[in-house]
Amino acid sequence: MSSTSAPFGLRPAYHPSGVVRPNVGTITSAYNATIHQFQPIKIVADGSIEAAAANDRFVGTFMGVEWTDSDGRRRYSNKWTAGTTGTDIVAYYTVDPTIVYEIQSNAALNQDDIGEQFDFTAASGNTTTGLCTQMLGVSTSAANAGLRLLGISPGANNAWGDTYVIAFVQISEHQFV
C-alpha cells in the first residue's frame, strides 16, 4: 500500500476512550460545494458546517448526511453534492480534538517527522464512492499547519520512507481549541 496512491481523506482511526462518536449539525440547503466523506469541515458563523480549506482551522471530518428532498423522501448519503436542496438536513461529523485519524501522505515520511505539522491537500473526492481523496501534504510542513504527525498505521507494506505512507495524525489547529 505504501507504494500505491489510494487516498481516502482524513479517516477516524481511534479515540483514546475507544469510541469515535459523531456529532450532528446541519448544512445550509443549496450549499454550493461538494463535501465528501472523511473531508475536513469547519463550523461557520450561522452554526452550519462547510468544507474546510487547507489553511482553515477545522473541527473534524464529514461522516455523512441525511435530508428530506423536494418529493418528501428521506435521503441518506456519505457525501453532500453541491447545490442539493432539502429540509431537515442532519450532517454527521467528528468534533473531538483527541481523535486520531489515518491519512495517506503524498510523499515519503520519515520517523524523525513525528511531531511535525502538515496541511492536507486541496479538496477533492470520488463522485462514485463519495469518499474524499485528500492527502497529507508533506511539502506543507510548518509550525502552524492543521495536522500533527503521530506515527504510521501498523500493517503490511506501510513503512517509513515509502512514497505513500498511511499516517496517524491529530488535528493540531482545531477550531475549538
Side-chain angles (χ1 to χ4, degrees), residues 76-145:
Y76 303 88
S77 181
N78 66 338
K79 74 176 190 297
W80 175 264
T81 303
T84 299
T85 59
T87 59
D88 303 318
I89 301 166
V90 179
Y92 299 93
Y93 60 96
T94 60
V95 70
D96 191 322
T98 60
I99 293 173
V100 175
Y101 297 89
E102 286 183 319
I103 188 169
Q104 189 172 40
S105 67
N106 65 357
L109 288 169
N110 297 305
Q111 195 165 1
D112 61 358
D113 292 326
I114 291 175
E116 296 291 321
Q117 292 176 254
F118 303 90
D119 279 323
F120 46 86
T121 58
S124 60
N126 183 312
T127 56
T128 303
T129 65
L131 296 176
C132 178
T133 57
Q134 290 172 294
M135 301 176 84
L136 185 71
V138 175
S139 66
T140 64
S141 178
N144 60 348

Side-chain angles (χ1 to χ4, degrees), residues 18-165:
V19 180
V20 174
R21 291 182 176 89
N23 199 17
V24 294
T26 191
I27 300 171
T28 303
S29 182
Y31 173 60
N32 201 22
T34 297
I35 308 174
H36 293 89
Q37 188 174 38
F38 307 135
Q39 182 173 341
I41 56 95
K42 62 183 178 181
I43 297 176
V44 295
D46 68 0
S48 65
I49 67 166
E50 293 183 358
N55 58 351
D56 289 340
R57 292 177 73 90
F58 65 103
V59 295
T61 62
F62 183 72
M63 303 296 286
V65 63
E66 60 180 280
W67 72 99
T68 303
D69 69 11
S70 59
D71 294 329
R73 290 179 292 175
R74 197 73 180 152
R75 300 291 191 146
Y76 303 88
S77 181
N78 66 338
K79 74 176 190 297
W80 175 264
T81 303
T84 299
T85 59
T87 59
D88 303 318
I89 301 166
V90 179
Y92 299 93
Y93 60 96
T94 60
V95 70
D96 191 322
T98 60
I99 293 173
V100 175
Y101 297 89
E102 286 183 319
I103 188 169
Q104 189 172 40
S105 67
N106 65 357
L109 288 169
N110 297 305
Q111 195 165 1
D112 61 358
D113 292 326
I114 291 175
E116 296 291 321
Q117 292 176 254
F118 303 90
D119 279 323
F120 46 86
T121 58
S124 60
N126 183 312
T127 56
T128 303
T129 65
L131 296 176
C132 178
T133 57
Q134 290 172 294
M135 301 176 84
L136 185 71
V138 175
S139 66
T140 64
S141 178
N144 60 348
L147 301 170
R148 178 174 293 108
L149 180 65
L150 302 177
I152 63 172
S153 180
N157 302 321
N158 195 41
W160 294 109
D162 288 344
T163 307
Y164 303 108
V165 176

